[in-house]
Every structure is written in C-alpha cells, then in structure tokens.
Amino acid sequence: PTENAVDFLDNFKLSLYTSEIVVFTPKGEARKMPFGATALDFAYDIHSKIGNSAISAKINHKLEPITTQINSGDQIEIITADNARPKPEWLEIATTAKAKQSIMVFLKKENLNNIANGIVLFEGKLKEFGIVPSARVFRKVLPAYDCATKDEFYSKLGAGILKLDGIEKILSLI
C-alpha cells in the first residue's frame, strides 16, 4: 500500500532474478548464469570447445581455479590449453546441465576412442604370439590386469594406463 506501482514492479522483478546472476565476458557481453555457477559453467556457456580446454579463469583480472564460484557483476576470461581435457571430477564441479552434458559427451567419446585403440594394441600383441582373442584369453588377462570387463581393459590399455609388459608370461599360461 505504501509503494507506487513502478516501485512495486521493480522490487518484484528483482526478487524474480535472485536465482540468476549476470556476469560479463572480457568484451563486456552480459551472460545470465544460475546462482552458484562456477567458472567452468561459464566456460561451457560460451562454447563446449572452450569448456573442454579450460584450465583456469581470470575473474576480475585475477587468476582463479576453474572451480571458483562466480558472482553477479564478475568479468570472466577463460584460460585454455590445447592439451587440456575434461576430467570425470568436473561433473562434481559443474552446476549447469549444459556443462555436465558436454563433459559427459566428451568423456564417453574419449572412452570409446580408448577402447578402439586398446583393441588394436591388444590384438596386435596377440597376433605376435599367434593367439586369437577368446574367452579363455580374457579369463587369464583380465584378472592379471585387475580389470572386471573387456571394455575396462581395452579402455585402460588405449588410454595408456596399462602396459602390455609381461603379457608373454600371462599368455604362456594359456
């Protein structure tokens, strides 16, 4: 009753946007983000390629980790590196659906590439010994490399986590 209609509408609009913040690119472009968003969310909001290669952020001209929560009015510049890649932990850091989806897509694609590379490496090694991949081979190889499934084995092999050193000894038991 004490407010005029214009003041009432202004206050009403402000209360609607408390769950959103407005941040700025280095060029001054305003971006709406949800309250609680991180610099990583901002990177993915700009473009998935920027998010996928993000390593840190300059928030108000100060270097900060990509995990830093951003605030309304912040100016944010994302620092990228060509060799940077999303990590599974990023799914815990990201708050927006767009960022989480982009991270999951990248990780799934990378896993499929690792599996394909692992298959090529393993089958090439087996060929050296004149062995054809079979259930019998995997019953020996998977426990030796502490893997539960063929996909896990291939993925770790393709990613370079596993090396086939000592495979001769394992294959000689077949």
Side-chain angles (χ1 to χ4, degrees):
T2 58
E3 291 182 6
N4 68 32
V6 175
D7 288 341
F8 174 78
L9 283 174
D10 285 344
N11 288 335
F12 183 73
K13 278 191 233 172
L14 282 174
S15 69
L16 281 178
Y17 293 110
T18 56
S19 63
E20 283 187 336
I21 60 172
V22 178
V23 295
F24 300 93
T25 67
K27 293 181 180 178
E29 179 189 332
R31 293 279 182 144
K32 286 184 183 176
M33 300 292 298
F35 180 79
T38 63
L40 183 62
D41 292 303
F42 177 78
Y44 278 104
D45 190 64
I46 299 294
H47 197 283
S48 60
K49 285 183 181 177
I50 292 173
N52 287 343
S53 60
I55 56 170
S56 67
K58 274 189 184 174
I59 302 174
N60 301 322
H61 307 289
K62 186 178 170 205
L63 203 56
E64 299 283 352
I66 203 76
T67 59
T68 305
Q69 186 172 329
I70 56 179
N71 299 304
S72 204
D74 284 348
Q75 181 192 37
I76 305 164
E77 178 183 350
I78 301 299
I79 311 298
T80 61
D82 291 339
N83 61 345
R85 314 192 107 40
K87 299 166 189 61
E89 307 86 68
W90 285 12
L91 291 169
E92 306 296 318
I93 298 164
T95 60
T96 63
K98 181 178 182 178
K100 288 182 183 219
Q101 181 65 28
S102 295
I103 294 165
M104 285 191 292
V105 165
F106 183 91
L107 293 174
K108 186 174 183 178
K109 184 178 176 186
E110 187 176 60
N111 187 46
L112 291 174
N113 287 341
N114 288 342
I115 289 171
N117 291 339
I119 290 171
V120 169
L121 289 170
F122 188 61
E123 288 182 354
K125 195 63 151 174
L126 288 180
K127 213 175 260 181
E128 288 178 26
F129 299 107
I131 297 173
V132 178
S134 66
R136 211 170 110 209
V137 169
F138 284 104
R139 276 196 300 273
K140 294 289 185 188
V141 171
L142 294 181
Y145 286 98
D146 198 28
C147 293
T149 65
K150 287 193 297 187
D151 281 352
E152 180 187 0
F153 173 73
Y154 286 141
S155 180
K156 287 181 176 179
L157 184 61
I161 296 168
L162 295 179
K163 302 286 181 223
L164 291 177
D165 302 337
I167 191 79
E168 299 87 12
K169 200 180 286 182
I170 297 163
L171 295 175
S172 68
L173 301 173
I174 297 174

